[in-house]
Amino acid sequence: MCGILGWVGRQSADPDSGRRAGAGLHALANRGPDGSGLESGVDWLLGQTRLAILDLTDRAAQPMRDARGCWLVFNGEIYNFQELRRELEERGIRFQSTGDTQVLLEALAYWGLDALTRLRGMFAFGWLDPGRRELILARDRYGVKPLVWERTADGVRFASDLFALDALAGGRRTREIEPQALLRYLMLGYVPAPHTIWKGPRKLRPGHYLRVHWGNGAPRIEERSYWRLSDVPPAAMSSEIDLYQRFKDELRDAVQLRSISDVPVGLLLSGGIDSTLVGSVYADLPGHQIPSFAMGFDDGQSDERPYARAVAQELTLRHEEFVSNPSEVAEEFDDLWTAFDEPFADSSALPTVTLCRAIRRRVKVAIGGDGGDEVWCGYPWHRALVRAEAVRNGTPLVLRRLAACGFSAVSSEWGYKTRVLAASDRLSAWTSLRIGLSDRMAAALPIESEIFPVSECFREAADLVGDVPDPLDWAGRMDLATYLPDDLMVKADRASMRFGLELREPLLDHVFSAFGMQVPVAERFDRSTGKGKLFARNYLSERLKERPFDRSKQGFTPPLPQWLGGPLAEHKRAAIADLEANRLDPLALPAGADSWSDCAQRLDDRHNQFLWRVVCFWGWSRSLQNTYSD
């Protein structure tokens, strides 16, 4: 696990490039506090900051060079590296290190880009062949690890995050916010790939690689996918297979691979189904003792610590709890923007950062439960989409829209339900369920920009997912293509790497998740009860006497309204004041709105989600003056 950067093209050899690369490595120091390295040639440079997890010796240091003179900088973990190593050794390749970096380098040398489909892990890397003047950038299937890049006048720069990329560019003074990216942030609460908040830089999409040829003139760039969700067939696996036993076998394999570490490992435990499932499997692995950690709130409705405690007691885990202190929330909010390189408005980011800071003092690797809802039908909008599809399929569009108008006239509380009822297609219905924003409401967002249909935020993802008949199967894949990589994995990566902590997600193992997507939906979701994750529920019922997980989905959600009215009240007032006084450029009140209250009413912002996005943009903007600049 590391931070990486690189630069190819004539300008990378300028005298100032070394200073910029040094500033970039400094910006990545939190991601890799155990060491750093920088290598360069006539027209290229590569750098890395190291978080040592496997092979703690200098033999695993990066940038790493092979016998042909090719170089690798790599962030992540290749969990099946031992299997790949054995296969390469059978072909006569010898290794000097015991970790996964050299295995990845030799796999790329032997199989070329075909190696990408053999990798089982989370990764972002740059593989450079100076002789051919070729650079390959690649990112894992679900976007667990980040990679940003930008084309320059005569080359290409890349890095793990925008902080380091800005340093390579010489600072942020010439950066301009991209209005369409900002609009997507206001719609979604995050900036989705391939966009970044800045004009110029781009995020490499999950499951893609970028091939760069440089030399005389402008670099030639080609971006292609090596894997996409449509490669996984729709749910239709034969019922003759013992699917439940296969579920247990694949899950155990995914967890066991993620237990390989040369440093201490811990478990993030909420008491919900997913983290309890992972913890139960891990606790049963022979010879493995693992501590567990939980974060809670002083608000009883949001606090999951009692459930986590009950699970830890039954699994006989060494358990430790932390609480998010309201008196520290304002300070944590201000510090958030040293971790997040773009405006980001998932409110659970705050306690996630707090938790990562606390457990990094105990362990260097933590295992979590992300990835269980998407494939196994666990989100509330999955149930809602099933009901909506039944109505949509049985009622003509004209009648549905008339009914929606009638319901809206009777009560505004129907909100998104009327929009789902009136949706013309599945994507529009899913969009309304996911983000609760209509095209009409989008016109009230506080930005002067050309407004596009809200569902267009997800159009590219829908094309990548392809034709999937069952609405639940389709919805889970859409979540895997959008919400998971652009929100959940960004949150997990930035919060953990702020403190040099590695997070591992067994439920996102691509072999395990591909199996899950092919399990018939009826085996994953009970339409009569509205419950998903059926195999996980069965497993835990067999494993545990108590059932603290058998409750409504809660999520790691802080008491945001109380925070905005308490420890963050001054931040809220300042953000609104700057917005209303046109001091929060390029955010501005829309036409016809004289105050934030007018805007919030038109956005139906009863849950403060759009207000929170304004406050987070204000916090991020204010932090820019304290970030890298020359």
Side-chain angles (χ1 to χ4, degrees):
M1 188 66 67
C2 310
I4 62 174
L5 59 77
W7 188 352
V8 297
R10 292 193 309 274
Q11 194 177 0
S12 66
D14 288 351
D16 190 45
S17 63
R19 182 193 64 80
R20 292 188 184 187
L25 291 176
H26 178 73
L28 293 171
N30 288 333
R31 301 185 70 93
D34 297 329
S36 65
L38 183 67
E39 297 287 346
S40 60
V42 174
D43 51 5
W44 61 270
L45 64 82
L46 294 175
Q48 182 249 16
T49 60
R50 186 183 183 195
L51 179 65
I53 303 295
L54 297 173
D55 190 345
L56 310 185
T57 72
D58 289 342
R59 292 190 299 270
Q62 300 179 37
M64 184 177 286
R65 182 179 182 272
D66 68 14
R68 299 187 305 120
C70 294
W71 292 87
L72 176 71
V73 285
F74 158 53
N75 171 29
E77 299 287 353
I78 307 301
Y79 298 119
N80 63 333
F81 77 97
Q82 293 174 334
E83 173 189 339
L84 294 173
R85 176 177 176 139
R86 287 191 294 270
E87 191 171 351
L88 290 166
E89 285 177 331
E90 290 173 357
R91 289 161 168 78
I93 297 172
R94 297 293 174 258
F95 292 85
Q96 289 74 49
S97 68
T98 60
D100 58 347
T101 301
Q102 190 181 6
V103 172
L104 174 58
L105 179 58
E106 296 294 348
L108 289 166
Y110 189 84
W111 288 301
L113 289 175
D114 288 341
L116 291 170
T117 60
R118 295 172 174 263
L119 304 179
R120 193 170 178 177
M122 54 180 183
F123 56 84
F125 66 76
W127 179 43
L128 184 139
D129 185 336
R132 298 178 60 188
R133 285 191 166 88
E134 181 179 79
L135 169 70
I136 301 293
L137 305 177
R139 195 175 177 206
D140 64 71
R141 292 166 176 84
Y142 291 131
V144 180
K145 292 290 101 184
L147 194 64
V148 292
W149 65 280
E150 67 177 329
R151 183 197 299 263
T152 67
D154 65 348
V156 169
R157 295 187 283 256
F158 71 90
S160 290
D161 59 33
L162 290 172
F163 294 133
L165 197 65
D166 290 336
L168 283 178
R172 284 182 170 168
R173 290 179 178 176
T174 60
R175 294 288 198 208
E176 294 182 48
I177 287 178
E178 170 54 61
Q180 292 292 290
L182 182 57
L183 176 59
R184 284 173 167 82
Y185 162 75
L186 292 173
M187 288 179 170
L188 306 175
Y190 54 83
V191 180
H195 307 277
T196 74
I197 194 63
W198 301 118
K199 291 181 179 179
R202 305 279 285 176
K203 298 184 181 101
L204 184 60
R205 295 174 176 88
H208 281 66
Y209 69 86
L210 194 78
R211 188 196 302 268
V212 179
H213 285 281
W214 79 95
N216 296 324
R220 302 192 309 277
I221 298 176
E222 171 191 37
E223 182 175 1
R224 290 189 176 181
S225 66
Y226 65 87
W227 180 88
R228 57 178 62 194
L229 282 161
S230 59
D231 293 340
V232 183
M237 193 171 286
S238 172
S239 58
E240 296 178 0
I241 302 173
D242 187 343
L243 297 177
Y244 180 50
Q245 183 60 49
R246 173 92 178 269
F247 167 84
K248 292 190 288 185
D249 292 342
E250 296 286 4
L251 176 62
R252 179 183 174 88
D253 192 28
V255 173
Q256 193 160 24
L257 283 173
R258 284 154 182 81
S259 71
I260 302 170
S261 174
D262 293 335
V263 297
V265 178
L267 173 70
L268 303 183
L269 188 62
S270 70
I273 290 176
D274 298 329
S275 65
T276 302
L277 179 66
V278 171
S280 297
V281 175
Y282 204 109
D284 289 339
L285 294 178
H288 284 85
Q289 296 293 325
I290 185 172
S292 60
F293 307 98
M295 169 69 73
F297 309 98
D298 286 334
D299 172 88
Q301 293 182 339
S302 305
D303 193 6
E304 293 187 295
R305 283 177 297 168
Y307 307 110
R309 191 180 310 134
V311 170
Q313 289 174 350
E314 185 149 5
L315 295 177
T316 63
L317 302 173
R318 302 193 322 271
H319 187 62
E320 189 170 0
E321 297 178 353
F322 309 96
V323 62
S324 181
N325 190 334
S327 65
E328 299 173 352
V329 167
E331 182 179 349
E332 290 168 354
F333 177 85
D334 293 336
D335 189 57
L336 197 65
W337 312 113
T338 64
F340 288 84
D341 51 354
E342 294 181 297
F344 185 77
D346 184 331
S347 60
S348 63
L350 269 172
T352 302
V353 168
T354 304
L355 176 60
C356 289
R357 178 191 290 112
I359 68 175
R360 178 60 179 87
R361 303 186 185 106
R362 278 74 170 173
V363 296
K364 206 171 184 178
V365 174
I367 296 181
D370 281 336
D373 288 301
E374 292 76 11
V375 173
W376 300 98
C377 311
Y379 285 125
W381 53 82
H382 292 166
R383 298 188 292 274
L385 186 63
V386 170
R387 296 192 295 268
E389 285 275 303
V391 174
R392 290 179 61 253
N393 291 336
T395 310
L397 178 59
V398 172
L399 294 180
R400 286 190 278 113
R401 287 183 171 173
L402 286 173
C405 290
F407 289 137
S408 296
V410 172
S411 173
S412 61
E413 295 296 319
W414 277 78
Y416 76 89
K417 295 180 181 180
T418 62
R419 295 191 291 276
V420 173
L421 187 63
S424 59
D425 58 17
R426 179 186 286 176
L427 179 60
S428 298
W430 178 82
T431 299
S432 294
L433 288 168
R434 278 289 295 109
I435 64 177
L437 185 68
S438 69
D439 293 343
R440 177 186 59 80
M441 293 164 61
L445 290 169
I447 182 174
E448 295 179 355
S449 176
E450 180 180 352
I451 305 295
F452 49 78
V454 180
S455 60
E456 288 304 307
C457 289
F458 305 114
R459 181 69 61 185
E460 181 180 353
D463 292 340
L464 292 174
V465 166
D467 183 20
V468 179
D470 190 284
L472 272 174
D473 191 13
W474 178 87
R477 292 167 186 247
M478 284 295 294
D479 291 325
L480 284 173
T482 59
Y483 177 57
L484 184 131
D486 292 326
D487 184 317
L488 298 183
M489 293 300 97
V490 170
K491 175 181 64 180
D493 174 82
R494 303 304 192 274
S496 60
M497 297 306 289
R498 170 67 176 83
F499 306 103
L501 174 72
E502 176 173 298
L503 291 188
R504 297 179 174 181
E505 310 293 353
L507 301 184
L508 277 179
D509 181 276
H510 81 271
V511 176
F512 176 67
S513 62
F515 157 73
M517 281 184 273
Q518 294 174 80
V519 170
V521 173
E523 300 281 352
R524 293 185 262 166
F525 182 83
D526 186 337
R527 281 178 162 85
S528 64
T529 63
K531 288 185 177 181
K533 306 182 183 180
L534 298 183
F535 284 171
R537 292 176 187 274
N538 289 344
Y539 182 94
L540 293 177
S541 296
E542 296 171 357
R543 176 64 175 80
L544 303 177
K545 295 179 181 178
E546 301 296 329
R547 299 174 64 89
F549 57 86
D550 197 8
R551 53 194 167 89
S552 299
K553 183 175 178 60
Q554 189 166 333
F556 194 34
T557 306
L560 184 59
Q562 291 91 319
W563 284 1
L564 287 172
L568 293 176
E570 185 55 40
H571 291 67
K572 180 185 72 174
R573 284 193 292 268
I576 291 175
D578 283 352
L579 175 66
E580 293 178 340
N582 291 319
R583 294 192 298 264
L584 200 52
D585 185 63
L587 294 193
L589 291 174
D594 297 323
S595 67
W596 169 252
S597 296
D598 294 339
C599 189
Q601 184 175 6
R602 291 160 62 182
L603 288 168
D604 191 23
D605 196 28
R606 286 170 291 174
H607 301 293
N608 295 317
Q609 63 175 340
F610 296 105
L611 172 60
W612 182 240
R613 291 168 195 177
V614 170
V615 172
C616 288
F617 180 82
W618 171 85
W620 173 79
S621 299
R622 191 179 61 162
S623 75
L624 293 184
Q625 59 186 335
N626 298 319
T627 59
Y628 175 85
S629 69
D630 58 4

